[in-house]
Amino acid sequence: MKRQALLTFIVLIFIISGGIICYFQKQKEVQNRVEKVAKLVFENIVVKDYGKAIVEENEIYIPVELIRNYIDSDLELSDDKKRVYINISDKNLELEDKSLTKFVVENGVKINLLTKIEDNIVYIPGKLTSKIFNIDINYIETTKVVTVDRFTEEIKFGKIKEDTVLKLKNNKFSFTIDKLFKNEKVRVFKEYKDWYEVRNKVGHLGFVQRKYIDEFTKKISFNNKLNTKREDFDKSKKINITWEYVYERTPDIKNEDKIDGLDVVSPTWFKISKNGVVINNADINYVKEAHKKGYKIWGVVNNGFDPNITTNILNNEKLKNKVIAQIAFYASLYDLNGINIDFENIYYEDKSAFVKFVEDLTRILKKQNLIVSIDITVPGGSKRWSKVYDREKLAKIVDYIALMAYDEHWATSPKSGSVASIGWVERGIVKTLESVPKEKLLLGVPFYTRIWKETVDENGKIKVTSKAIPIKNVKKIIEENDAVVVWDSKAGQYFATYKKDSAVYKIWIEDAESIKLKLKLAHKYGLKGIASWRKGYEYEEIWEVIKMIKDDKKLL
């Protein structure tokens, strides 16, 4: 009997010991699970189905499905999932001006943003859209947890009375998730008989006994104003702007050195498409980095160079206002300093309608105190590419006009020649100044040139083709092909030629010397500054030359 009792006791000891060991193993598993899984928390829900948040230096990306399931069920994705569409007209937002807010809402604006796709999960920039969705997003670095909370007028909190623990479930024997210390503040979500469901400062969710908490309510003030009016732009000084070409994704300029003398960067971010949708490729990180470097940002809006889409927009008041409202909203959302209008290839019959569009757009953008500029071609005979611009009327509306003094010989030109010979550029300036005041005119200079290829067909006729290349690549091409280089005084450029595979190649070179001559023209005619197409095609010495526009004495 004693022996049986002893065996029973030993078995019980083993069972109890095993249970204790199992408990602590399970406890460790719970804590490990919290560390590995609870990366994304929406209020009192640990989000597991959509993946983790993506945390970058200036942005936190949130899964689109989280927003769609908990905040805005009307979100739409493009077929390729690269773009998300958000209806703004039903959001509680305020822009720089009350009348501007009303204009945007009344025109039923639906914006679109580029998404980020990783592991088949589609993400949306959270910080950028936090005011749109009326949410607060925070990243807790110590636990690598991202919390997402809706703003409400009142939020319940609790203050811990004395040291205690955060439990996985609302009972004393549940596993412990974390420790809670006296005077620590926790977010309170639900109340159970003797327990509160809470979230602590490091983003862990769990339960704490009621007796350990003093509950209180805090009123929250939500600032729904998207932006404020910009400070006045100093128009008394000469300026230097450059266009940043963006096809879809914007380059990262964080590690770029600041370009001395550069005032404005103008990325090609917005394109008008059919039905009045403005395709948006803007990047808030680019804006922030540019502002850090001291640049202003003028976002480019173009018409896709499609006359059919353009005429539809210009002659439909509803679509026109829809386009203008989208541009104004993006300017506010991305904290732009200005808008650059680049409409090309327009039906001549829309000449007056285009002036009216620019006038209406400028009136709205001035509510944000933005700078408005427009790009025009050198005066010429083409109705769609030159005569469509009523330069005199446009000059009275906008702040600056950029003269695109390049493509003298365009891509499909039947004859080889310079992109911007000095005589052609000067004639373009003189002709433009007949209708545009010099105080508003910027001289556009090319950071590209063309390699012309001339071949002779079976009939003895010369066939000409060309390829645009960055001017920073010209030197290498010349060296690789042992090209003959001479100065062309008439063009104001060096001219290179070489033969290869029964073809003759010609390059009228844009470089520091040719651009310096163009800057002298800007000085000669008292122009307001320089605009260059496009950033990234140049080499360092070019910026040293362009900076001279701000110190006229160095040009003499």
Side-chain angles (χ1 to χ4, degrees), residues 280-299:
N280 164 36
N281 291 322
D283 186 331
I284 189 63
N285 290 332
Y286 186 97
V287 176
K288 289 179 178 179
E289 291 298 334
H291 284 167
K292 283 181 186 177
K293 296 179 190 299
Y295 306 145
K296 303 295 184 184
I297 296 290
W298 298 354

Side-chain angles (χ1 to χ4, degrees), residues 3 43 102 120 127 231 233 373 401 453 467 497:
R3 185 175 180 182
E43 295 183 345
K102 183 181 178 185
N120 293 319
K127 284 187 176 181
E231 295 181 357
F233 186 79
S373 61
I401 289 182
K453 180 182 178 181
K467 182 175 75 170
T497 184

Side-chain angles (χ1 to χ4, degrees), residues 477-479 481-487 494-499 505-509:
I477 292 170
I478 288 172
E479 291 175 350
N481 294 281
D482 196 23
V484 176
V485 181
V486 296
W487 178 255
Y494 284 101
F495 170 70
T497 184
Y498 61 92
K499 292 182 179 180
Y505 292 83
K506 298 177 179 179
I507 309 173
W508 280 264
I509 302 170

Side-chain angles (χ1 to χ4, degrees), residues 353-372:
F354 180 55
V355 170
K356 186 65 168 62
F357 170 80
V358 174
E359 184 177 41
D360 291 347
L361 175 59
T362 301
R363 185 181 68 255
I364 292 297
L365 296 179
K366 286 303 175 182
K367 294 177 183 293
Q368 301 163 295
N369 206 21
L370 298 182
I371 291 295
V372 182

